[in-house]
Amino acid sequence: MDILKEISENLELGDFEKVSLLTKKAIEEKIPVEKILKFGLIGGMDIVGEKYKTHQIFLPDVLMSARAMHAGMDVLKPFFIREGMPNSGKVILGTIQGDLHDIGKNLVGIMLKGAGFEVIDLGTDVSPEKFIETAKKEAAYIIGMSALLTTTMPMMRKVVELLKKEGLEDKVKTIIGGAPVSKDFAQSIGADAYGYDSTDAVESVRKLFNQA
Amino acid sequence: MRKRFEISVEDIEPQMDEVLKTQGIPSDKSPPEKVKSLFQESKDIFLKYSEPVGIISDISVFEFETVYRGEGLNEKETPLDEILNKADNLVLFALTIGERVSEKIRELFKTNDFALGCMLDSVASAGTDKGGDVLEENFFNLLSKKGKVNLQKCILRFSPGYCGWHMSGQKKLFEFLNPEDIGINLTDGFLMIPLKSISGVIVFGDKEIFNFDDNYPFCSECTTHECKDRIRKLFRDLRPEKEKGGR
Ligand code: B12
Ligand code: SF4
């Protein structure tokens, strides 16, 4: 069987040890690393994402596949040291100031990485200034913010306002999510997108990049 | 009365179906073996690392009105507004399973074991919630010993952040209850640390006082309408098994 297909299939099964071994084997077979990444790993995660969206598999399956994806990426990383891992775009991600919830934000990060984006995770309790400072430093196009409490949601508005104040609203786009957050709220604070869950987040981020 | 309860972790062990539901796995389907073993593994970690401890403290209706008014941010009309004055007894409560499980969850995510980390998070959340049930039972038993319980009585708990009681209500609640001595602290953003903690009031009174409708203005945004289920459960027989008349 085509080794890239084999990588993708084992990734679907969540067999991280096999994915790691097969990625090494593919390198030995002189398959270009970009191709292994694009068709073996990201290709596999795309299928997983689609199956999850159509309820053929469940969250734990997706997360086992994501672990396998990371195992493959770890093998590829040394080959990209000079020019950095190719990616579909950079996303700064974090839980907004005052909030320490991180599971939802982590899941979004995992799925974005699985879709080939570079994710810079600032963790929890992230101030608006820190989001913007990092976006500027990293020349990232997207800031993703998570909030699980109504009391911390207003901080998201501050990020959008600060971006405008600095004249960065065309250079940096914002996407928000979290249990109490809604599409209406996103619109009301002028955020560029809202993601209901981690697969929706990937779609929305892709859309933002496509509109860029 | 102010009473601390060291809770046995076995008493808050969550069931597989309730946990899997929170992971989006429907209960009418038998979960795949891989998922079952993930659940088992996370339950074992949960049993090993959680340190459930809770506290309850008597509060009069008069005193509770101040706590409930909080920072003045509650919805205009709430179920608790109606229930309060008809209640027999109230206790404030707080409970945590401690920080160690959360540390373990972070560790699992760091080592890319996302599925186990996420399952453990769901197990820990369900376990924390169950801790609230145990506090309710303990309070009920205390009242029972005082001879206050009869078939018409029951208990229900409410928490800031739910059903029109604003999250900021936790400030006054903490000032009155001082759960810091069981290791729970409140941040300026009204977040309890450790994360796996809950707080609120447990109300004891006639069953009928809890029979409210889920048609407050804010109910339209409620995704669970959980009150309906909770009210339904109240009308079950709460007497100890041996006192129930069998057929
Ligand atoms: C489980 C749970 C708990 C657990 C554990 C909490 C924890 N997170 O560790 C326990 C029982 C301990 C708990 C306690 C409390 N909780 Co609670 N809890 C929940 C519940 C049911 C699920 C949260 C969760 O873990 N979800 C799973 C994760 C994976 O989902 P998620 O974080 O939402 O993330 C997904 C999406 O939102 C989205 N997303 C998230 N971030 C981002 C970011 C971007 C950029 C994008 C695009 C998408 C995105 O994608 C993610 C993956 O699918 C929610 C209700 C709900 N339906 O969400 C209430 C909820 C968060 N809790 C609430 C409250 C009020 C509390 C308490 C204050 C109650 C109390 N007084 O005791 C305490 C506070 C605890 C504390 N430490 O301060 C409220 C908050 C509402 C508010 N007013 O702010 C909620 C919303 C319930 C409600 N009333 O509707 N809680
Ligand atoms: S419908 Fe929801 S918000 Fe309204 S009372 Fe019931 S549980 Fe509370």
Side-chain angles (χ1 to χ4, degrees):
Chain A
M1 197 204 293
D2 173 5
I3 190 154
L4 295 183
K5 196 158 179 243
E6 232 180 306
I7 290 177
S8 159
E9 281 181 8
N10 279 286
L11 186 140
E12 269 185 67
L13 293 173
D15 192 335
F16 67 95
E17 280 160 344
K18 245 194 181 144
V19 169
S20 175
L21 281 176
L22 285 166
T23 309
K24 281 180 196 146
K25 200 169 154 220
I27 291 170
E28 280 161 19
E29 288 179 14
K30 304 260 183 300
I31 298 179
V33 279
E34 291 81 5
K35 222 172 151 186
I36 306 175
L37 178 68
K38 193 164 175 203
F39 298 106
L41 301 176
I42 298 178
M45 261 329 262
D46 275 347
I47 300 173
V48 170
E50 201 48 45
K51 283 193 171 168
Y52 178 56
K53 226 173 76 186
T54 50
H55 308 293
Q56 295 175 59
I57 56 171
F58 303 117
L59 182 63
D61 302 300
V62 179
L63 296 178
M64 283 188 257
S65 296
R67 183 185 196 179
M69 161 113 191
H70 276 73
M73 299 240 278
D74 283 345
V75 177
L76 295 184
K77 246 180 222 154
F79 294 89
F80 291 116
I81 277 192
R82 231 180 308 140
E83 69 272 41
M85 204 86 151
N87 61 66
S88 326
K90 246 185 216 178
V91 182
I92 309 291
L93 193 63
T95 303
I96 198 77
Q97 192 164 31
D99 205 337
L100 298 173
H101 289 94
D102 61 358
I103 295 295
K105 182 261 302 163
N106 289 347
L107 296 186
V108 170
I110 290 165
M111 292 307 279
L112 286 174
K113 276 188 202 160
F117 293 99
E118 181 182 347
V119 176
I120 297 168
D121 189 339
L122 297 178
T124 58
D125 197 15
V126 182
S127 70
E129 292 77 14
K130 176 92 184 161
F131 271 116
I132 288 165
E133 204 180 285
T134 318
K136 282 201 281 194
K137 196 171 119 216
E138 296 287 340
Y141 183 57
I142 288 183
I143 291 178
M145 295 170 265
S146 178
L148 253 268
L149 306 171
T150 40
T151 44
T152 54
M153 280 159 59
M155 275 293 169
M156 294 172 149
R157 185 193 292 272
K158 210 170 159 201
V159 174
V160 177
E161 283 171 0
L162 272 177
L163 278 175
K164 274 200 190 128
K165 206 171 149 197
E166 297 204 19
L168 290 170
E169 70 265 42
D170 292 330
K171 286 197 180 121
V172 184
K173 297 288 167 192
T174 48
I175 174 164
I176 62 172
V181 178
S182 65
K183 207 172 183 167
D184 286 349
F185 176 74
Q187 266 165 4
S188 77
I189 65 163
D192 298 293
Y194 159 75
Y196 169 74
D197 63 11
S198 48
T199 37
D200 199 27
V202 171
E203 269 179 35
S204 300
V205 165
R206 274 193 181 136
K207 252 188 225 156
L208 286 176
F209 272 106
N210 288 339
Q211 285 161 8
Chain B
M1 178 229 13
R2 186 175 190 274
K3 214 167 158 35
R4 176 188 170 119
F5 296 97
E6 307 293 337
I7 296 165
S8 152
V9 64
E10 281 79 17
D11 289 343
I12 61 165
E13 188 182 319
Q15 299 300 309
M16 185 166 75
D17 56 345
E18 57 183 316
V19 172
L20 296 192
K21 213 164 80 188
T22 67
Q23 296 243 319
I25 303 173
S27 49
D28 55 337
K29 277 192 188 147
S30 170
E33 279 312 311
K34 268 199 294 194
V35 173
K36 276 192 205 162
S37 67
L38 260 183
F39 169 76
Q40 195 52 49
E41 202 179 333
S42 17
K43 206 176 70 179
D44 292 343
I45 302 175
F46 171 77
L47 291 175
K48 189 165 164 200
Y49 288 97
S50 47
E51 299 158 319
V53 52
I55 189 167
I56 61 172
S57 183
D58 270 332
I59 184 164
S60 67
V61 171
F62 181 71
E63 285 168 318
F64 183 69
E65 269 169 357
T66 312
V67 170
Y68 190 54
R69 222 175 295 126
E71 309 303 294
L73 295 171
N74 291 352
E75 296 291 337
K76 247 197 197 128
E77 287 170 20
T78 69
L80 257 180
D81 279 326
E82 285 179 38
I83 292 166
L84 269 185
N85 289 313
K86 301 176 203 148
D88 291 358
N89 292 77
L90 304 171
V91 284
L92 294 181
F93 78 90
L95 172 131
T96 184
I97 61 161
E99 193 53 48
R100 286 171 73 209
V101 180
S102 294
E103 275 164 17
K104 203 70 206 161
I105 295 167
R106 282 191 288 272
E107 212 177 290
L108 288 166
F109 270 93
K110 254 194 204 129
T111 53
N112 295 345
D113 203 344
F114 313 125
L116 188 58
C118 192
M119 185 68 81
L120 180 58
D121 188 78
S122 294
V123 168
S125 292
T128 309
D129 216 36
K130 264 209 145 116
D133 299 344
V134 173
L135 286 185
E136 276 187 19
E137 275 162 34
N138 286 345
F139 178 41
F140 197 82
N141 291 340
L142 285 174
L143 293 168
S144 182
K145 275 186 200 144
K146 288 184 184 164
K148 290 193 170 185
V149 173
N150 63 45
L151 274 178
Q152 304 316 315
K153 306 284 182 191
C154 66
I155 47 176
L156 200 61
R157 67 176 190 272
F158 293 85
S159 289
Y162 285 86
C163 308
W165 187 0
H166 197 265
M167 281 273 299
S168 56
Q170 296 202 104
K171 189 164 177 234
K172 288 255 160 35
L173 191 151
F174 267 60
E175 280 166 16
F176 196 94
L177 183 64
N178 296 309
E180 289 83 1
D181 63 356
I182 58 162
I184 310 179
N185 289 286
L186 192 67
T187 67
D188 292 342
F190 313 111
L191 189 72
M192 284 180 279
I193 303 192
L195 214 48
K196 302 294 180 197
S197 304
I198 49 171
S199 66
V201 64
I202 308 178
V203 185
F204 173 77
D206 285 339
K207 272 180 193 172
E208 295 313 320
I209 70 169
F210 299 110
N211 211 353
F212 58 88
D213 286 327
D214 53 348
N215 57 6
Y216 293 88
F218 49 84
C219 296
S220 61
E221 281 171 32
C222 176
T223 49
T224 60
H225 287 252
E226 208 187 349
C227 57
K228 285 281 116 189
D229 240 15
R230 300 203 303 151
I231 292 169
R232 214 171 294 127
K233 276 187 196 145
L234 291 182
F235 289 84
R236 69 189 193 269
D237 194 345
L238 277 165
R239 285 171 302 166
E241 273 315 312
K242 56 178 191 262
E243 284 176 27
K244 286 180 193 171
R247 264 199 257 181

